[in-house]
């Protein structure tokens, strides 16, 4: 198959997704709530797959196999445990209560919900600002992954910037038209597609190298340390820190957190998080094991390249490799379109409307959101051209930033004594400290600060503890403001 046909597979996939988005656009209403939340009408299958496809991104599809190739298959345990089990628990603890509160009061964003509870426009804007800050590198991560994917598929014929530009242009066009309904529909198709192709790829490649036993033996011959737990990268500090920061961070991702509002019923939400662990493991097992098995295969993975396209090009025909890369790009786009949609809602609902134009009509807000999508995507594309780190490094930075929001939010949801001052201190101070740590690695004017302490423990884990201590401690020594209303979070579920 020629290069043109391989690219045709990828572009054809994009066109099909766009057609679905156009259908969604035709049946959508021109209101902000329909654009952001599909009028809270999402059922179990679509909610499950849209969350699945939204969460799984370049970080999972390329970063995960890359890490398994370099450090061994224990990445499967880290991600399988935290995404399959811990996130499902947090989905219940945070997501179900958010759905009950959002269903009663009509909230669209996390900042709107907290701002109303504590009677604070400042808190609402602070949560939006923090969310947009960490959303930016994660959108950039998807564009970096798309650029690298097409370089791998085409052997460099399509440059890195070309792949990143292609997915950026598609995302802008798609999200501006489709809104949440179109995003959720295509997420469902993309989730099923990526799950199917990765399993076919695993069976195809493993069969080509002689079966699971032969692939595992070759891996252990090349990297004997892959056969035992612990050691190297996988220290207790790394595993526990990564598991906690990613799982808690995921719940605060705007594109994930906003899905806690879109279910058509509480039963839909419950069925979705109960099925979540099964769905996650069905994708992680073949994807990450392909990365680990590749360590024993006679393939040459250039520095900085993604291992999955290299293995596919070696053991499968070009048309199938193109299909898998299309599946990976589907993972990136299904994350990015939701990020752009949520990011625009955080800006319009929590910054523009309360601080700039409180009288804006719903129609004006919906169109402003579309402009915001384009501006955010183009800015992230420009930043992605500088390639500021690996997929894992960029993704981990964003996960930890969002994780610092989680414990103050849990306090607000479950502890009526929480005050506005406690929330602001618990959110703001750890974020400033973490931002200083991140900047110290890339800005020479900032003194170098450690990302890990005491033998590999992520500094973000300590800052999470600090966020909880500040929220509780400051709340105990301050009085609730007259504008606060704890009863707004008093809801009954089963």
């Amino acid at each position: 198959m020629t290069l043109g046909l391989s690219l045709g597979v990828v572009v054809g996939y994009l066109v099909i997704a766009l057609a679905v988005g156009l259908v969604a656009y035709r049946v959508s209403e021109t209101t902000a709530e329909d654009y952001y939340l599909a009028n809270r009408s999402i059922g179990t299958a679509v909610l499950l797959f849209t969350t699945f496809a939204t969460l799984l991104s370049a970080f999972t599809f390329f970063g995960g196999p890359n890490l398994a190739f370099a450090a061994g298959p224990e990445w499967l345990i880290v991600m399988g445990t935290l995404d399959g089990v811990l996130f499902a628990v947090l989905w219940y603890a945070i997501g179900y209560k958010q759905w009950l509160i959002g269903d009663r009061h009509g909230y669209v964003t996390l900042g709107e919900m907290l701002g109303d509870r504590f009677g604070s426009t400042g808190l609402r804007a602070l949560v939006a600002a923090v969310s947009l800050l960490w959303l930016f590198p994660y959108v950039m991560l998807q564009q970096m992954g798309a650029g690298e994917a097409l370089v791998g598929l085409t052997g460099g014929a399509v440059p890195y910037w070309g792949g990143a530009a292609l997915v950026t242009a598609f995302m802008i066009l798609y999200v501006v038209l489709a809104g949440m309904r179109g995003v959720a529909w295509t997420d469902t198709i993309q989730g099923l597609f990526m799950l199917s192709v990765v399993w076919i790829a695993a069976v195809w490649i493993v069969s080509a190298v002689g079966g699971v036993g032969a692939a595992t033996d070759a891996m252990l011959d090349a990297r004997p340390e892959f056969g035992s737990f612990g050691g190297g990268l996988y220290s207790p500090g790394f595993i526990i820190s990564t598991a906690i920061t990613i799982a808690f961070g995921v719940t605060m991702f705007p594109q994930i957190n906003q899905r806690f509002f879109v279910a058509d019923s509480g039963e839909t939400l419950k069925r979705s998080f109960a099925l979540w662990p099964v769905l996650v493991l069905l994708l992680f097992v073949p994807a990450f094991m392909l990365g680990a098995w590749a360590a024993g295969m006679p393939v040459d993975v250039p520095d900085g390249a993604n291992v999955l396209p290299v293995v596919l090009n070696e053991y499968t025909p070009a048309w199938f490799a193109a299909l898998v890369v299309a599946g990976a790009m589907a993972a990136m786009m299904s994350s990015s379109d939701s990020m752009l949609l949520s990011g625009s809602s955080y800006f319009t609902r929590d910054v523009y409307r309360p601080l700039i134009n409180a009288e804006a009509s719903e129609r004006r807000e919906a169109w402003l959101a579309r402009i915001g999508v384009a501006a955010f995507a183009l800015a992230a594309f420009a930043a992605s051209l500088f390639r500021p780190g690996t997929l894992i490094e960029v993704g981990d930075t964003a996960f930890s930033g969002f994780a610092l929001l989680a414990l103050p939010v849990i306090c607000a949801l479950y502890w009526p004594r929480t005050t506005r001052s406690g929330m602001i201190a618990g959110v703001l101070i750890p974020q400033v400290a973490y931002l200083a740590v991140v900047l110290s690695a890339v800005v020479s004017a900032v003194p170098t600060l450690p990302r890990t302490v005491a033998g590999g423990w992520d500094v973000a884990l300590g800052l999470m503890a600090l966020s909880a201590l500040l929220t509780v401690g400051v709340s105990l020594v301050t009085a609730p403001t007259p504008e606060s209303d704890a009863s707004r979070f008093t809801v009954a579920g089963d």
Side-chain angles (χ1 to χ4, degrees), residues 117-121 123 417-425 474-475 478-484:
R117 153 71 176 85
F118 293 98
S120 173
T121 301
L123 176 61
R417 181 66 180 80
T418 307
T419 67
R420 181 177 67 187
S421 298
M423 287 295 294
I424 291 175
V474 174
S475 293
T478 56
T481 57
E483 299 83 4
S484 295

Side-chain angles (χ1 to χ4, degrees), residues 50 142 165 201 292 308 323 341-342 349 359 370 400 407 439 470:
T50 189
Q142 314 312 312
L308 204 55
L323 269 181
L341 186 65
S342 295
R349 303 288 290 200
E359 304 303 321
R370 289 172 165 88
S400 296
L407 295 179
L439 291 177
L470 285 169

Side-chain angles (χ1 to χ4, degrees), residues 60-397:
T60 303
F61 227 101
F62 288 134
N66 288 350
L67 193 57
F69 173 74
E74 287 162 271
W75 185 240
L76 177 62
I77 298 173
V78 177
M79 290 295 289
T81 300
L82 62 94
D83 262 337
V85 178
L86 188 50
F87 175 62
V89 173
L90 291 171
W91 192 344
Y92 175 77
I94 299 174
Y96 182 49
K97 186 149 189 181
Q98 262 195 233
W99 179 83
L100 291 168
I101 295 169
D103 187 55
R104 170 180 289 182
H105 300 293
Y107 299 131
V108 172
T109 68
L110 176 65
E112 184 178 17
M113 184 182 80
L114 293 172
D116 196 35
R117 153 71 176 85
F118 293 98
S120 173
T121 301
L123 176 61
R124 183 174 179 175
L126 174 63
V127 171
V130 167
S131 300
L132 291 170
L133 171 68
W134 299 119
L135 198 61
F136 189 82
Y138 213 69
V139 172
M140 186 174 64
L141 170 70
Q142 314 312 312
Q143 292 159 321
M144 290 170 57
E148 293 174 3
L150 284 181
V151 168
L153 176 67
T154 64
V158 174
Y160 166 81
W161 68 265
L166 174 66
V167 77
T168 300
F170 175 83
M171 286 189 309
I172 291 173
L173 177 62
Y174 182 76
V175 178
V176 164
L177 284 176
M180 173 60 84
R181 183 173 285 100
V183 166
W185 286 358
T186 51
D187 279 355
T188 303
I189 297 171
Q190 289 167 341
L192 288 167
F193 178 71
M194 74 175 86
L195 200 58
S196 301
V197 295
V198 79
W199 268 102
I200 295 171
V203 171
W204 200 319
I205 293 169
V206 168
S207 299
V209 299
V212 171
T216 304
D217 290 344
M219 176 189 76
L220 295 177
D221 287 343
R223 302 290 300 270
E225 69 274 21
F226 281 14
S228 57
F229 291 111
L233 175 67
Y234 296 112
S235 66
F238 171 81
I239 291 176
I240 295 172
S241 298
T242 306
I244 292 176
T245 56
I246 291 182
F248 280 81
V250 164
T251 64
M252 295 295 113
F253 266 126
Q255 71 276 18
I256 296 297
N257 188 275
Q258 212 160 29
R259 276 160 174 73
F260 298 156
F261 291 129
V262 304
D264 61 4
S265 70
E267 292 305 314
T268 290
L269 207 67
K270 292 176 184 177
R271 283 193 292 268
S272 299
F273 62 66
L275 292 169
W276 177 258
V278 177
L279 197 58
V280 165
L281 285 176
L282 280 174
L283 180 67
F284 284 180
V285 168
F288 295 173
M289 284 310 299
L290 277 176
W293 282 325
M297 297 177 187
V299 293
D300 181 24
V301 182
D303 288 343
N306 291 310
V307 64
L308 204 55
V310 173
V311 174
L312 288 164
N313 285 332
E314 181 69 24
Y315 291 102
T316 66
W319 65 266
F320 183 74
L323 269 181
V324 177
V325 172
M329 292 185 70
M332 299 168 213
M333 289 183 296
S334 59
S335 298
S336 299
D337 54 17
S338 299
M339 292 176 203
L340 293 174
L341 186 65
S342 295
S344 69
S345 70
Y346 275 49
F347 172 73
T348 56
R349 303 288 290 200
D350 299 333
V351 178
Y352 176 76
R353 183 178 281 280
L355 297 178
I356 300 173
N357 184 2
E359 304 303 321
S361 66
E362 289 239 335
R363 187 179 181 84
R364 180 183 179 86
E365 183 183 330
W367 280 109
L368 182 67
R370 289 172 165 88
I371 295 170
V373 164
F376 198 87
L378 290 173
F381 167 67
S384 75
L385 299 180
F386 294 97
R387 306 174 78 163
T390 67
L391 298 179
I392 289 290
E393 289 168 345
V394 175
D396 185 54
T397 296

